[in-house]
Amino acid sequence: MAYSSRRIYQLVLFFLCFSGLLVLRLFYLQVIHGPQLALEGLSIRVQELPVDVARGEILDRNRIPLTNTSQQYSIVIFPGQIENKTAAAFAKIDSVISLTPELLAAGLRRLNTSEYPFRLADNIESSTAKQINDMQIPGIVAVAEKVRYGQGSLASHVVGYINSADNRGVSGIESMYDALLRGSQPEYVAAIVDAGQQLIPGLGYKRMKLTEGTRETNVILTIDKQIQQNVEEIMSRTVVKGAVVVMRPSSGEILAMASRPTFDANNLSQYLEQNSSPLLNRAVSSYQPGSVFKLVVAAAALENKTVKMDDVFFDHGYIDVNNIRFQGWDYEQEPKGRLTITEAMAHSSNPVFIQIALHLGAEKLIAMAQKLGYGSRTKLEFFGESEGNLPEADQLYPGDLANLAIGQGFCEATPVQLAQTVATIVNDGIKVEPYIVSQLTSQEGAVVKKFHEPNQRVRVMSRQTAERLRGMMGAVTQYGTGKAAYVEGFGSAGKTGSAETGRTNKTGQGINHAWFVGFAPLENPQYVIVVFVEEGMSGSNVAAPIFREIATSILKD
């Protein structure tokens, strides 16, 4: 009897364990893994075509989108739903949208050779899309698709572009933050059909996400869309090739960054072979700064007490260094004669600043340039950013040092680096690092990460030196070479630059790059603005008026 009871107990225990395992398995299949299994089962009877790529948005400081700014409509064909698969299949929509013979031939070829859905036409009007859907033609549906880069998109070189084939960023913010922007949940337009490839009543065509995956992240920039738009509108009228940077000096925030020529990220192939290099971001590319570098010379001379504000120099219109004659930009005019350092800055005297640099010495000048950020990339860490070029002090002979004093020779800098220099002067000698990404957020808007709070600050010159430099820059716009940059009602200050390229035009005239760097308003400056016009010839006549127009548009908004 005891043996029988033990057998019964063992059987009961076995069935209890088996039942428990069965319940656990069912729980796993139905509750934990159920949604994925349902999708997999559904996918057997789903014909789908991806219509929206899973990618986070890039937004300005006020969370106004710079991407996904428009949408288009496409006609999608599901071959399994089309009867006869002849030209008659498209006849019903011919009255709504005119199909070219080439488009019709391509559509018929795919209709008869592929079982998978495809786009017959894209970029159609919303009213046309509604007409087609109202006709309820089996196998033909018009769907809305987001356009990553809308017509006339702003900040193209900042945003960058993606490779639509694999949804990966190639340049700009799209490349820098590709892993975060790129999600893995693309949206599909799908036809839900039965075993006979007929639409299931009540389900029909749906938009859905068929796979689970990571959610995309949004990138919030420091860019101000309104300022960016003002800058780009002005550049489109005035700059063929060049760049503009607008920075908040107190924080290092880039409020606008634009490069010309620009490009349409939806049609990249047409720009690849152009000689003007429209895909190049000139705001982070390096060029000879010309006379803008005189700000560095003045800073080094004042910091090292090589020059006092009341020292008087003599401008003969030229200066000879080791049997090499360096002429002033205004050599053909009368010599300027006696000049203080402020007057020499206002009139951009080459002979005076070469005298100062030779007296100062290469080591002290290079040391100040390095402190200001020349010769190294900024913390922007932007795609394709150049470090510029700053020669080693022990490699500079007197003639080389003379060239460096006027921003020629081996010296090269980017517009962003020059913006950093001016911001340091505005900040009483404290350098802040420029930055362009402020936050990362989830799709729901929750902040995932913040950047540059607080920004690293380093003193590179005394408050007194910075104050004196601001006074010199004010003289430039009040009575010097930059009068065309003065902003009425607000005031402004800055420095012109005309950098020789060593090339000549068809008439034999030397080709120069044009610069103007400065700040506005004059009291309590809020904006640092750098204008670079490639082959613009004259900083005074070309870059300075553009600075004034940009500063005026920002200050009056």
Side-chain angles (χ1 to χ4, degrees), residues 57-58 64-71 146-154 225 266:
E57 293 195 67
I58 300 172
I64 301 173
L66 297 171
T67 52
N68 300 341
T69 53
S70 63
Q71 68 176 13
K146 289 180 182 176
V147 178
R148 183 74 175 167
Y149 313 108
Q151 186 69 27
S153 293
L154 295 173
K225 187 174 182 179
N266 295 309

Side-chain angles (χ1 to χ4, degrees), residues 53-59 66-68 147-150 153 155-164 166-183 216-219 221 263 265-266 268 382-383 436-437:
V53 174
R55 197 165 181 86
E57 293 195 67
I58 300 172
L59 307 102
L66 297 171
T67 52
N68 300 341
V147 178
R148 183 74 175 167
Y149 313 108
S153 293
S156 297
H157 293 85
V158 174
V159 172
Y161 54 89
I162 62 173
N163 182 344
S164 57
D166 60 9
N167 188 30
R168 292 183 180 273
V170 177
S171 74
I173 297 296
E174 295 278 31
S175 174
M176 293 165 61
Y177 291 87
D178 180 59
L180 295 170
L181 286 165
R182 178 165 35 91
E216 55 270 27
T217 301
N218 293 335
V219 177
L221 304 182
F263 60 89
N266 295 309
L268 288 173
F382 205 77
F383 179 88
I436 201 166
V437 176

